[in-house]
């Protein structure tokens, strides 16, 4: 597959790469010539990705300081990175603010916010060195439309994604004057194998109901292509915030169920 720019010397690290958007992004970028470091906790799923000649894998829990330090040392030995994609995240539960589990909220904050901050703090020096070599580097974070549109039952996830979105806005201000793009990709409804299943604690029927009768919800590959497009723009062009939703989802609270059809013209 050809790309707008030669990416053969570019190396990108993707967290949460064992499934969903992370795995799709690793594959899409690798197919377009990027060197990919796929990072996640589940080694078996990473091993399957690493069959691709452009993908290296590393099993790591990014909520653990020592794991991330070891990852950084390994990445540095391999030549560093030009791009960090913070994709790891997730939601658990749909209980109210009153009834929600503190442990669930703590997990959502750890993986969506603190792990992202840990990765940025650890890898920013490496990204600066890459920018000095090539003229630019990138930090991409996959947030969510939940980061600016609250909904009932979403309290913990809304709070975590609001925080992740705010962190990207602050980081962009703090990196002003440096050739490092900060890109916030905020998907709406994306049908993946695991996101809703984890949120509903393994209840497959409830998970499937989220997407029932929706005409073409986004797939992980759609978000992966959005990320690739943002990265492959000329380095002085920054898509600060990209909100990507299926056509059937007009807003967080308004999703059309049934086929998409034009309305008859009234003369």
């Amino acid at each position: 597959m050809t790309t707008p720019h030669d990416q053969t010397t570019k190396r990108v690290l993707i967290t949460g790469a064992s499934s969903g958007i992370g795995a799709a992004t690793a594959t899409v970028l690798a197919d377009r010539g990027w060197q990919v470091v796929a990072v996640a906790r589940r080694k078996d799923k990473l091993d399957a990705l690493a069959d691709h000649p452009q993908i290296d894998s590393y099993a790591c829990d990014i909520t653990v300081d020592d794991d991330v330090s070891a990852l950084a040392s390994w990445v540095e030995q391999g030549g560093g990175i030009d791009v960090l994609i913070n994709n790891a995240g997730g939601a658990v539960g749909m209980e109210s603010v009153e009834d929600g589990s503190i442990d669930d909220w703590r997990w959502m904050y750890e993986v969506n916010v603190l792990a992202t901050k840990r990765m940025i703090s650890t890898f920013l020096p490496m990204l600066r060195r890459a920018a000095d070599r090539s003229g630019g580097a990138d930090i991409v974070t996959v947030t969510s439309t939940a980061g600016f549109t609250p909904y009932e039952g979403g309290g913990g996830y809304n709070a975590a994604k609001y925080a992740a979105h705010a962190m990207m806005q602050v980081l962009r201000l703090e990196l002003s004057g440096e050739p490092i793009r900060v890109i916030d990709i905020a998907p709406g409804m994306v049908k993946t194998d695991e996101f809703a299943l984890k949120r509903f604690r393994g209840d497959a029927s409830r998970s499937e109901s989220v997407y029932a009768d929706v005409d073409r919800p986004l797939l992980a590959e759609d978000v992966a292509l959005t990320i690739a497009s943002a990265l492959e723009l000329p380095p002085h062009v920054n898509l600060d915030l990209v909100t990507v939703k299926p056509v059937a989802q007009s807003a967080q609270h308004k999703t059309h169920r049934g086929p998409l059809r034009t309305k008859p013209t009234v003369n």
Side-chain angles (χ1 to χ4, degrees):
M1 183 181 296
T2 59
T3 62
H5 306 288
D6 180 11
Q7 301 296 344
T8 55
T9 60
K10 294 284 189 177
R11 196 173 187 219
V12 53
L13 187 156
I14 305 171
T15 65
S18 59
S19 65
I21 293 170
T25 303
T27 301
V28 165
L29 290 177
D31 285 346
R32 295 163 83 97
W34 293 75
Q35 295 290 332
V36 175
V37 178
V39 174
R41 291 178 296 112
R42 294 178 293 182
K43 186 177 183 302
D44 56 334
K45 290 188 174 287
L46 287 175
D47 287 344
L49 267 181
D51 287 341
H52 195 296
Q54 294 286 112
I55 300 178
D56 294 318
S57 66
Y58 191 98
C60 172
D61 185 343
I62 62 169
T63 67
V64 177
D65 288 341
D66 289 346
D67 276 23
V68 173
S69 294
L71 168 65
S73 296
W74 181 82
V75 170
E76 187 74 88
Q77 290 169 11
I81 56 170
D82 302 272
V83 179
L84 170 64
I85 299 178
N86 298 300
N87 168 73
V92 179
M94 282 287 288
E95 293 81 13
S96 67
V97 172
E98 178 183 10
D99 295 331
S101 161
I102 288 291
D103 287 339
D104 288 347
W105 282 53
R106 182 179 292 113
W107 180 85
M108 285 186 277
Y109 204 83
E110 284 281 356
V111 73
N112 290 289
V113 185
L114 298 182
T116 297
K117 184 264 189 269
R118 182 180 290 106
M119 291 295 293
I120 291 169
S121 294
T122 301
F123 284 92
L124 189 50
M126 202 179 298
L127 292 168
R128 285 190 170 112
R129 290 193 290 275
D132 286 339
R133 288 194 306 269
S134 65
D138 298 279
I139 297 172
V140 178
T141 298
V142 179
T143 59
S144 170
T145 54
F148 25 85
T149 306
Y151 54 91
E152 291 174 279
Y157 188 58
N158 285 143
K161 289 302 189 182
Y162 264 80
H165 172 59
M167 180 168 38
M168 292 307 99
Q169 291 181 301
V170 172
L171 181 64
R172 194 176 296 113
L173 294 171
E174 292 173 346
L175 295 181
S176 177
E178 300 189 52
I180 300 175
R181 297 186 296 191
V182 177
I183 301 168
D184 183 344
I185 304 289
M189 177 182 283
V190 184
K191 186 176 184 180
T192 64
D193 292 337
E194 297 187 6
F195 179 84
L197 196 61
K198 183 174 182 65
R199 178 166 221 169
F200 296 122
R201 308 179 200 282
D203 186 333
S205 61
R206 192 175 180 193
S207 174
E208 283 298 317
S209 71
V210 173
Y211 313 105
D213 298 323
V214 176
D215 189 344
R216 290 163 291 170
L218 292 184
L219 301 178
E221 290 76 12
D222 298 320
V223 182
L225 288 170
T226 303
I227 293 170
S229 297
L231 290 174
E232 290 173 351
L233 286 169
H236 69 286
V237 180
N238 189 29
L239 298 186
D240 285 12
L241 172 63
V242 181
T243 301
V244 52
K245 303 192 300 288
V247 173
Q249 187 182 33
S250 301
Q252 194 82 353
H253 62 280
K254 187 176 179 65
T255 300
H256 178 76
R257 308 273 172 176
L260 295 173
R261 296 194 181 97
T262 57
K263 295 180 180 178
T265 303
V266 178
N267 294 323

